[in-house]
Coordinates of all heavy atoms in Angstrom, one line a residue:
I130 N -19.8 -8.2 -2.2 CA -19.7 -9.3 -3.2 C -19.7 -10.6 -2.4 O -18.7 -10.8 -1.6 CB -18.5 -9.1 -4.1 CG1 -18.6 -7.8 -4.9 CG2 -18.4 -10.3 -5.0 CD1 -17.4 -7.6 -5.8
D131 N -20.7 -11.4 -2.6 CA -20.7 -12.7 -1.9 C -20.3 -13.8 -2.9 O -21.0 -14.0 -3.9 CB -22.1 -13.0 -1.4 CG -22.1 -14.2 -0.4 OD1 -21.1 -14.4 0.2 OD2 -23.2 -14.8 -0.4
C132 N -19.2 -14.4 -2.7 CA -18.7 -15.5 -3.6 C -18.0 -16.5 -2.8 O -17.2 -16.2 -1.9 CB -17.9 -15.0 -4.8 SG -16.5 -14.0 -4.3
P133 N -18.1 -17.8 -3.2 CA -17.5 -18.9 -2.4 C -16.0 -19.0 -2.6 O -15.2 -19.4 -1.7 CB -18.1 -20.2 -2.9 CG -18.7 -19.8 -4.3 CD -19.0 -18.3 -4.2
R134 N -15.5 -18.5 -3.8 CA -14.1 -18.5 -4.1 C -13.6 -17.0 -4.3 O -14.5 -16.2 -4.5 CB -13.8 -19.3 -5.3 CG -14.0 -20.8 -5.0 CD -13.4 -21.7 -6.1 NE -14.1 -21.4 -7.4 CZ -14.8 -22.3 -8.1 NH1 -14.9 -23.5 -7.6 NH2 -15.4 -22.0 -9.2
P135 N -12.3 -16.8 -4.4 CA -11.9 -15.4 -4.7 C -12.4 -14.9 -6.1 O -12.5 -15.7 -7.0 CB -10.4 -15.5 -4.8 CG -10.0 -16.7 -4.0 CD -11.2 -17.7 -4.1
P136 N -12.8 -13.7 -6.2 CA -13.3 -13.2 -7.4 C -12.2 -13.1 -8.5 O -11.1 -13.0 -8.1 CB -13.9 -11.8 -7.1 CG -13.1 -11.4 -5.9 CD -12.8 -12.7 -5.1
L137 N -12.6 -13.2 -9.7 CA -11.7 -13.2 -10.8 C -12.1 -12.1 -11.8 O -13.2 -12.0 -12.2 CB -11.7 -14.5 -11.6 CG -10.7 -14.6 -12.7 CD1 -9.2 -14.5 -12.2 CD2 -10.8 -15.9 -13.4
V138 N -11.1 -11.1 -12.0 CA -11.4 -10.0 -12.8 C -11.0 -10.2 -14.3 O -10.0 -10.8 -14.6 CB -10.6 -8.8 -12.3 CG1 -10.7 -7.6 -13.2 CG2 -11.2 -8.4 -10.9
G139 N -11.9 -9.9 -15.2 CA -11.6 -10.0 -16.6 C -10.8 -8.8 -17.2 O -10.3 -8.0 -16.4
A140 N -10.7 -8.8 -18.5 CA -9.9 -7.7 -19.2 C -10.6 -6.4 -19.0 O -11.8 -6.3 -19.1 CB -9.8 -8.0 -20.6
P141 N -9.9 -5.3 -18.7 CA -10.5 -4.0 -18.5 C -10.9 -3.4 -19.8 O -10.2 -3.5 -20.8 CB -9.4 -3.2 -17.7 CG -8.2 -3.8 -18.1 CD -8.5 -5.3 -18.3
H142 N -12.0 -2.7 -19.8 CA -12.4 -1.8 -20.9 C -12.1 -0.4 -20.5 O -12.7 0.1 -19.5 CB -13.9 -2.0 -21.2 CG -14.2 -3.4 -21.6 ND1 -14.0 -3.9 -22.9 CD2 -14.6 -4.5 -20.9 CE1 -14.3 -5.2 -22.9 NE2 -14.7 -5.6 -21.7
I143 N -11.2 0.3 -21.2 CA -10.7 1.6 -20.7 C -11.1 2.7 -21.7 O -11.1 2.5 -22.9 CB -9.1 1.5 -20.7 CG1 -8.7 0.4 -19.7 CG2 -8.6 2.9 -20.2 CD1 -7.2 0.1 -19.8
S144 N -11.5 3.8 -21.1 CA -11.9 5.0 -21.9 C -11.2 6.2 -21.2 O -11.1 6.2 -20.0 CB -13.4 5.2 -22.1 OG -13.9 5.5 -20.8
Q145 N -10.9 7.2 -22.0 CA -10.4 8.5 -21.5 C -11.3 9.6 -21.8 O -11.3 10.1 -22.9 CB -9.0 8.8 -22.1 CG -7.9 8.0 -21.4 CD -6.5 8.4 -21.9 OE1 -6.2 8.2 -23.0 NE2 -5.8 9.1 -21.0
P146 N -12.2 10.0 -20.9 CA -13.2 11.0 -21.2 C -12.6 12.4 -21.4 O -13.1 13.3 -22.1 CB -14.1 11.0 -20.0 CG -13.4 10.4 -18.9 CD -12.4 9.4 -19.6
R147 N -11.4 12.6 -20.7 CA -10.7 13.9 -20.9 C -9.2 13.6 -20.5 O -8.9 12.5 -20.0 CB -11.2 15.0 -20.0 CG -11.1 14.7 -18.5 CD -11.6 15.9 -17.7 NE -11.6 15.7 -16.3 CZ -10.5 15.7 -15.5 NH1 -9.4 16.0 -16.0 NH2 -10.6 15.4 -14.2
D148 N -8.4 14.5 -20.8 CA -6.9 14.4 -20.5 C -6.8 14.3 -19.0 O -7.3 15.2 -18.3 CB -6.1 15.5 -21.1 CG -4.6 15.3 -21.0 OD1 -4.2 14.1 -21.2 OD2 -3.9 16.2 -20.8
G149 N -6.0 13.3 -18.5 CA -5.8 13.2 -17.0 C -6.9 12.4 -16.3 O -6.8 12.4 -15.1
A150 N -7.8 11.8 -17.0 CA -8.9 11.0 -16.4 C -9.0 9.8 -17.2 O -9.0 9.8 -18.4 CB -10.2 11.8 -16.3
V151 N -9.2 8.6 -16.5 CA -9.4 7.3 -17.1 C -10.6 6.7 -16.4 O -10.6 6.7 -15.2 CB -8.1 6.5 -17.0 CG1 -8.4 5.0 -17.5 CG2 -7.0 7.0 -17.8

Side-chain angles (χ1 to χ4, degrees):
I130 297 177
D131 190 30
C132 55
R134 292 193 296 244
L137 182 63
V138 171
H142 299 277
I143 302 169
S144 67
Q145 282 188 290
R147 65 175 175 82
D148 191 35
V151 170

